[in-house]
Amino acid sequence: AVALVITIGVVVSNNTNNQAPNGAINPEAVPSPLPGTNPPPSAQTPPPTTSPAAAPTSVPKYPPSTTIKITAPLADAKWVSGTNNTISWSKEGGMTGAIYLVNATDGSTAGWILQSVGVHQTSYSWNTRDLLLTHISPLGKTVQPGQYIIKVVFDGGSPKSTITSAPFSIIYPSEVKIDTYTLTIKNYYFSPTLIAVKQGSKLVFTNNDRVDYKISLSSFSPLVVPAGQSYTFDTSVLTPGSYNFYSEQYTTLKATVMVQ
C-alpha cells in the first residue's frame, strides 16, 4: 500500500510540472524528437514568406530606323512649290523629333520643315515652300526647285534615330505637265467611246465632220465644237467618277469618260 501511494504521487507530480500555470502544455517540458525523426507539426518552423516579384523596369523606347519608314514622298515624286503635300511615316516614333530637308546632290541641309514632331505624330502637311534656317531659329527662307531628301530625326538615344525618304523633286508650278486626252468626232461617232483620264487633265474634242456639234454633260452648259475645229475641256472641275458626254441631236454621238 505504501508503494502504491508513492507511485501515484510521482505521476501527479510529473503531470503538474508539464503544465503551464494556465493549464497549457509547458513548451520546455516537450521532449526533443529523436534523431532521424520529424518534429511534431506544432514545433516546425513556419515557411518563409516571399515578397511579390518586382515589376520590370521600363526601358526607354528608341524607334529603330529599321522599323519606321517614310511613306511619302515616294521615289521620283514631283511636288509643286507652294502646294500642300503630306510628309508621312509608317508609325509613331514614341518620342518628339523634327523634320528637315536635305539636298540630294551634295547632302547639305537645305532647311528645317518642322522643328517639333509630336510623340504620336505620323504625318505633316507642308506647303512645299517655307523652310526654317535651323532647328531652333524662327528665321525662314524659301526652298528652291531641285532634288531633295526628307529626314525625320527622333530625340533620345545616342546617336539619334533618323529615317530618310527616297529622293524626290520640288518644281515650279510652270513645270507641271498637264496630261491631254483626245476624243475625235468622225461620221457622227466619238473615238474612243470609253476613256479614262486623270483629274485635272485636259480633254480635247476634235471635230473632223462638216457640221457643228453641241456636246452635252449633265449640270454643264453644252460644249460647242465647230466643224473642223477643237474644244478643250478642263477635267479639274470634275470629281472622280463616270461622266457621259453626248449629243441630243445625233444619238450616235456619245462617249463615257472615267475621271480618276
Side-chain angles (χ1 to χ4, degrees):
V2 173
L4 179 59
V5 171
I6 293 173
T7 300
I8 294 172
V10 171
V11 172
V12 171
S13 175
N14 288 339
N15 290 339
T16 303
N17 293 335
N18 290 341
Q19 292 182 353
N22 58 1
I25 299 298
N26 188 349
E28 296 180 357
V30 177
S32 300
L34 296 176
T37 62
N38 294 326
S42 61
Q44 291 182 0
T45 304
T49 58
T50 58
S51 302
T57 304
S58 60
V59 178
K61 179 182 177 183
Y62 299 114
S65 58
T66 56
T67 60
I68 303 179
K69 303 292 184 182
I70 291 183
T71 54
L74 298 175
D76 299 323
K78 290 180 172 58
W79 285 8
V80 180
S81 177
T83 63
N84 289 330
N85 289 281
T86 300
I87 303 166
S88 62
W89 47 99
S90 57
K91 63 180 181 179
E92 299 175 1
M95 58 183 62
T96 57
I99 305 174
Y100 62 103
L101 189 68
V102 174
N103 191 305
T105 303
D106 58 16
S108 62
T109 299
W112 293 80
I113 297 172
L114 182 63
Q115 293 174 332
S116 179
V117 169
V119 173
H120 303 294
Q121 192 167 346
T122 58
S123 65
Y124 177 69
S125 181
W126 179 39
N127 65 9
T128 322
R129 181 188 61 217
D130 298 330
L131 292 174
L132 298 166
L133 295 182
T134 70
H135 191 185
I136 58 175
S137 172
L139 300 177
K141 66 177 184 178
T142 300
V143 66
Q144 298 299 312
Q147 192 170 37
Y148 294 96
I149 291 172
I150 286 176
K151 291 191 176 185
V152 181
V153 57
F154 296 98
D155 299 327
S158 180
K160 293 183 178 182
S161 181
T162 303
I163 55 178
T164 303
S165 77
F168 73 106
S169 299
I170 295 177
I171 62 176
Y172 285 123
S174 58
E175 298 179 85
V176 177
K177 179 183 177 182
I178 300 176
D179 294 324
T180 301
Y181 302 86
T182 301
L183 280 175
T184 300
I185 303 172
K186 181 66 175 177
N187 296 328
Y188 310 102
Y189 283 91
F190 276 122
S191 179
T193 56
L194 176 63
I195 188 172
V197 304
K198 295 179 181 179
Q199 184 185 29
S201 63
K202 305 296 184 182
L203 186 59
V204 179
F205 295 88
T206 300
N207 184 0
N208 289 334
D209 285 342
R210 295 185 177 183
V211 297
D212 297 343
Y213 291 107
K214 287 185 178 180
I215 308 302
S216 297
L217 176 64
S218 180
S219 302
F220 287 85
S221 300
L223 317 177
V224 179
V225 188
Q229 298 184 32
S230 297
Y231 181 96
T232 302
F233 181 81
D234 187 353
T235 64
S236 61
V237 297
L238 303 178
T239 58
S242 177
Y243 297 88
N244 294 319
F245 290 84
Y246 61 94
S247 170
E248 294 182 349
Q249 185 179 4
Y250 303 97
T251 58
T252 57
L253 192 60
K254 53 186 176 182
T256 299
V257 177
M258 303 291 296
V259 178
Q260 300 173 338

